[in-house]
Amino acid sequence: MLQLCYSPSTASMIPHLLLEEMGVPFELKTFDTGDKAHKSAEYLKLNPNGLIPALIDGDLVIYETAAILMHLLDAHPDSGLIPPIRTHARAHFYKWLMWLTNTLQASLILHFYPERWAEDASSIDQVKDHATRKVHTLLDQIDAEIARNGDQWFSGSEYSALDVYVFTLCRWTRRFERPARSWPHIGPYLQRVHARAATQTVFAREEIVEPWY
């Protein structure tokens, strides 16, 4: 059975949501980031980067969130959570998946951990400020994309694996002075994703508390 190495309310929520949407049997293996369990010798054997999540599929171990999603989608091609191969929709799926992990998620990490790129207090504050402003411009793009695609799901009328990624990263801004939910199209979109049965199940399992997003 698949095992997802996770810690509540982290990037592991993305594959957790996808697995629940798929209805695929899986087990959760907890590595609490609050206790630094993801830096333990046990976990570093799975992911030498010491980052959550990782997926164990038999003798295969996959880390990097986007790679985990692609592996799951390839393993379950009838899930309906990725557009058909060799279509424009599939190409746009790849584009947005890479954008989410390499652009939005990377900018959010800069916001939350500016001390990794600076040393003195003023420089740390400057890095965080620039990252926050960058995140806001990226949320503008998400808001525009949701509107362009008809105000249903991120890519249009069909819910996809992109939605679990967009939702999770947007909820990371829930304590920002200007959170993602304050954008006119993102706010209602987050409500729709949150209302899904799979999201409700994952939130209960991870014991997520308000603010939800």
Side-chain angles (χ1 to χ4, degrees), residues 17-148:
L17 285 166
L18 184 64
L19 285 163
E20 195 62 41
E21 288 282 354
M22 287 179 161
V24 176
F26 67 96
E27 297 175 348
L28 291 175
K29 192 173 177 64
T30 306
F31 289 88
D32 193 338
T33 55
D35 295 335
K36 303 296 183 184
H38 59 309
K39 304 298 184 183
S40 65
E42 177 189 4
Y43 187 73
L44 291 174
K45 289 178 182 178
L46 300 172
N47 184 353
N49 301 296
L51 297 171
I52 296 289
L55 182 76
I56 303 170
D57 184 359
D59 59 358
L60 174 68
V61 178
I62 297 287
Y63 50 83
E64 295 297 330
T65 303
I68 292 171
L69 261 60
M70 290 307 304
H71 173 67
L72 291 172
L73 292 164
D74 286 345
H76 303 279
D78 297 327
S79 67
L81 294 167
I82 186 171
I85 196 166
R86 292 187 294 274
T87 63
H88 287 181
R90 181 77 161 224
H92 283 297
F93 181 97
Y94 291 148
K95 174 192 71 178
W96 282 111
L97 182 62
M98 296 306 107
W99 182 89
L100 287 163
T101 187
N102 291 329
T103 304
L104 178 56
Q105 189 170 356
S107 298
L108 284 162
I109 294 299
L110 273 171
H111 166 89
F112 288 115
Y113 304 103
E115 69 279 0
R116 295 178 182 175
W117 287 268
E119 295 181 357
D120 63 89
S122 62
S123 296
I124 288 172
D125 289 343
Q126 188 176 43
V127 169
K128 184 171 184 175
D129 179 63
H130 280 287
T132 305
R133 283 188 278 137
K134 177 65 173 178
V135 168
H136 286 162
T137 67
L138 302 177
L139 292 176
D140 287 339
Q141 286 185 247
I142 290 178
D143 198 68
E145 187 69 6
I146 293 169
R148 188 180 73 83

Side-chain angles (χ1 to χ4, degrees), residues 130-197:
H130 280 287
T132 305
R133 283 188 278 137
K134 177 65 173 178
V135 168
H136 286 162
T137 67
L138 302 177
L139 292 176
D140 287 339
Q141 286 185 247
I142 290 178
D143 198 68
E145 187 69 6
I146 293 169
R148 188 180 73 83
N149 286 320
D151 279 316
Q152 182 61 30
W153 306 118
F154 182 71
S155 297
S157 61
E158 299 296 325
Y159 193 83
S160 79
L162 291 179
D163 290 294
V164 303
Y165 219 130
V166 172
F167 176 79
T168 301
L169 294 186
C170 282
R171 75 175 296 272
W172 286 6
T173 72
R174 63 194 180 279
R175 292 190 174 89
F176 277 31
E177 184 176 344
R178 188 187 175 200
R181 64 180 179 271
S182 64
W183 267 254
H185 302 281
I186 297 177
Y189 164 80
L190 296 177
Q191 291 177 14
R192 290 191 292 275
V193 180
H194 181 243
R196 292 178 69 87

